[in-house]
Amino acid sequence: MLEIMNLSKKYGKTLAVDGVGFTVPDGRIGILLGPNGAGKSTVIKSIAGLLRYQGNIRIQGIDSRETEAKKCFAYVPEIPNMYEALTVREHIEFVRRAYAADITEEEIRQLLEKFEMEDKQDKLGNELSKGMMQKVSICCALAIKPKVILLDEPMVGLDPAAIKELKEVVLELRSQGCTVLISTHMLEMVKELWDVTFVMDKGHILGTYVKEDLANEDLEELFFKVTGQEEQKETVEQEAER
Ligand code: ATP
């Protein structure tokens, strides 16, 4: 379970996140959805412990700043960070040792195979394309067998095969009871994945939508309605029709 309580973050005088609170229950996929600049990455980076913030964040009931909480959660950043002098395989080995993860050699092989990286395992971090870096980042996150995983715009930069694979992996994680939070502004990419969606704009959560409760309502329509972007959407559609 992932709990965010009264989270606020200021960059100088800019209040990027203002008293945000939401919960993703065990074995559920939460989507943090919002337009550019809504504050999504700030929320994700706060959860990941990369920013100072006000408020409380709990991972599996433990304060996110505690080592016990850090041990069971993984973070896939929007822009992957590679160690230039480590190979793909060494990145996974590094994470495996740092977290004392119980992933086996065979499981690592399967993971690399899943993301078509088996033949790239001896490549160095600085020899990889952006999409390959993203795949390594995802493999490293999965290698610790997390209880909670955060993915910031994970589909950006991936090819269609990797997107398909990632979606399958996310659903598999859910079936294993893992809590997933995905931050994105691309609703299309997460349509078949989500259980609960938090619509965010200008540093606030404007609406929380549970899939089972949205019988006939379209999430996309709701998104445009609550973010006040209906007119922009109509203009884009009218222009596309011309
Ligand atoms: P995007 O979809 O474009 O990545 P986002 O929803 O992730 O956007 P954030 O990156 O969290 O949004 O930004 C929220 C607000 O905080 C924006 O107004 C942004 O300009 C501001 N901001 C983000 N990072 C910084 C920073 N390091 N310094 C100052 N302001 C920042």
Side-chain angles (χ1 to χ4, degrees), residues 9-12 14-17 34-45 51 78 152-153 183-185 200 203:
K9 169 68 190 174
K10 261 187 178 179
Y11 297 104
T14 309
L15 185 57
V17 172
N36 292 131
K40 306 178 298 295
S41 291
T42 303
V43 171
I44 293 274
K45 283 181 195 159
L51 292 175
E78 189 174 2
D152 194 1
E153 298 286 4
S183 156
T184 186
H185 59 270
M200 189 173 183

Side-chain angles (χ1 to χ4, degrees), residues 163-197:
I163 289 176
K164 185 169 173 283
E165 200 51 62
L166 180 62
K167 286 180 181 176
E168 281 171 24
V169 164
V170 166
L171 292 172
E172 201 178 307
L173 285 168
R174 175 174 68 179
S175 71
Q176 292 162 0
C178 181
T179 303
V180 183
L181 181 65
I182 301 174
S183 156
T184 186
H185 59 270
M186 296 191 294
L187 188 49
E188 195 55 41
M189 288 290 178
V190 291
K191 252 182 177 166
E192 66 269 44
L193 296 181
W194 70 285
D195 295 307
V196 55
T197 293

Side-chain angles (χ1 to χ4, degrees), residues 9-190:
K9 169 68 190 174
K10 261 187 178 179
Y11 297 104
K13 287 185 179 162
T14 309
L15 185 57
V17 172
D18 185 10
V20 159
F22 62 88
T23 297
V24 188
D26 287 338
R28 294 280 155 180
I29 300 170
I31 306 294
L32 191 57
L33 186 68
N36 292 131
K40 306 178 298 295
S41 291
T42 303
V43 171
I44 293 274
K45 283 181 195 159
S46 300
I47 300 168
L50 301 176
L51 292 175
R52 285 174 196 272
Y53 58 85
Q54 287 182 308
N56 286 300
I57 299 171
R58 292 185 161 265
I59 293 166
Q60 300 296 87
I62 308 164
D63 188 310
S64 65
R65 297 178 181 101
E66 301 280 332
T67 310
E68 280 310 302
K70 291 182 199 292
K71 272 186 189 169
C72 64
F73 96 97
Y75 167 55
V76 179
E78 189 174 2
I79 299 162
N81 282 317
M82 292 291 109
Y83 294 105
E84 290 185 10
L86 293 188
T87 64
V88 167
R89 187 66 179 71
E90 285 166 347
H91 274 85
I92 298 178
E93 186 57 26
F94 176 67
V95 169
R96 189 179 71 81
R97 290 194 199 179
Y99 281 78
D102 66 356
I103 187 165
T104 64
E105 290 297 315
E106 176 55 17
E107 285 171 328
I108 293 176
R109 194 197 61 72
Q110 286 171 5
L111 198 52
L112 290 167
E113 189 185 52
K114 228 176 223 177
F115 286 96
E116 297 176 343
M117 292 296 286
E118 241 189 328
D119 58 339
K120 310 279 184 320
Q121 47 182 313
D122 295 323
K123 272 191 180 280
L124 290 170
N126 63 2
E127 294 172 343
L128 301 172
S129 71
K130 185 175 172 292
M132 288 175 197
M133 289 183 195
Q134 184 74 348
K135 290 182 189 182
V136 175
S137 188
I138 293 165
C139 288
C140 286
L142 296 174
I144 70 157
K145 300 186 178 172
K147 295 264 190 307
V148 177
I149 185 166
L150 313 177
L151 302 121
D152 194 1
E153 298 286 4
M155 318 291 186
V156 175
L158 293 184
D159 60 31
I163 289 176
K164 185 169 173 283
E165 200 51 62
L166 180 62
K167 286 180 181 176
E168 281 171 24
V169 164
V170 166
L171 292 172
E172 201 178 307
L173 285 168
R174 175 174 68 179
S175 71
Q176 292 162 0
C178 181
T179 303
V180 183
L181 181 65
I182 301 174
S183 156
T184 186
H185 59 270
M186 296 191 294
L187 188 49
E188 195 55 41
M189 288 290 178
V190 291

